[in-house]
């Protein structure tokens, strides 16, 4: 990511952290996994929106934690405390953005996948900040 960030145009290399680019790539992938699972649980299995959101969310964020810890932030700190902090962060994120924003938008008539995308934009800013400055703060 450092090599890619150094080559960004328009002076972006001075403001984009390599960990942000890594986060964007990893979480873009896991968000795709989330949407695929959400579609399978909601449209395929007919689960209610809050349950489909929850199951897809937990599975995708578990994958995100593992990939970000190993590939992006390259943390070698004990996993237990990091997993605990991550659990608190995803609980806050889940309540505020997934159930709050996502379910509210669906309830007012926005299609459930579009609701999840809007909630995803909100959660991305929150989760990157928490991962960079709280959960994986011990990494370079």
């Amino acid at each position: 990511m450092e090599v890619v960030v150094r080559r960004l145009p328009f002076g972006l290399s001075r403001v984009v952290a390599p960990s942000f680019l890594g986060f964007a790539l990893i979480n873009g992938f896991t968000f795709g996994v989330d949407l695929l699972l959400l579609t399978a649980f909601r449209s395929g299995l007919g689960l209610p929106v809050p349950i489909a959101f929850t199951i897809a969310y937990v599975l995708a964020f578990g994958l995100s934690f593992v990939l970000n810890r190993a590939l992006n932030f390259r943390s070698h700190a004990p996993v237990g405390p990091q997993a605990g902090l991550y659990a608190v962060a995803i609980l806050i994120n889940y309540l505020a953005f997934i159930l709050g924003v996502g379910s509210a938008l669906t309830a007012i008539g926005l299609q459930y996948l579009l609701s999840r995308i809007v909630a995803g934009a909100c959660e991305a800013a929150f989760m990157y900040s928490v991962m960079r400055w709280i959960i994986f703060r011990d990494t370079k």
Side-chain angles (χ1 to χ4, degrees):
M1 294 298 106
E2 290 173 7
V3 171
V4 173
V5 166
R6 274 187 262 148
R7 294 177 185 234
L8 291 175
F10 313 115
L12 290 173
S13 61
R14 290 182 295 243
V15 293
V16 175
S19 63
F20 180 76
L21 182 58
F23 174 85
L25 291 173
I26 288 169
N27 283 58
F29 168 73
T30 59
F31 188 65
V33 170
D34 189 342
L35 291 178
L36 286 172
L37 291 171
L38 174 58
T39 301
F41 296 142
R42 176 68 183 140
S43 296
L45 298 177
L47 296 177
V49 169
I51 293 172
F53 271 6
T54 302
I55 296 170
Y57 175 82
V58 168
L59 293 174
F61 263 84
L63 179 60
S64 171
F65 176 79
V66 170
L67 294 176
N68 271 294
R69 185 177 195 281
L71 302 176
N72 190 31
F73 294 100
R74 295 186 186 134
S75 179
H76 298 289
V79 72
Q82 288 179 337
L85 289 170
Y86 190 74
V88 170
I90 64 168
L91 178 62
I92 293 167
N93 185 54
Y94 172 77
L95 293 173
F97 302 116
I98 306 310
L99 284 186
V101 173
S103 292
L105 290 173
T106 301
I108 63 171
L110 192 62
Q111 199 268 349
Y112 72 91
L113 286 173
L114 292 176
S115 297
R116 183 62 186 92
I117 290 169
V118 172
C122 297
E123 76 178 277
F126 172 76
M127 287 305 297
Y128 175 72
S129 299
V130 169
M131 290 173 91
R132 180 170 181 190
W133 290 296
I134 296 174
I135 298 169
F136 300 118
R137 68 184 174 275
D138 62 327
T139 62
K140 295 179 184 350

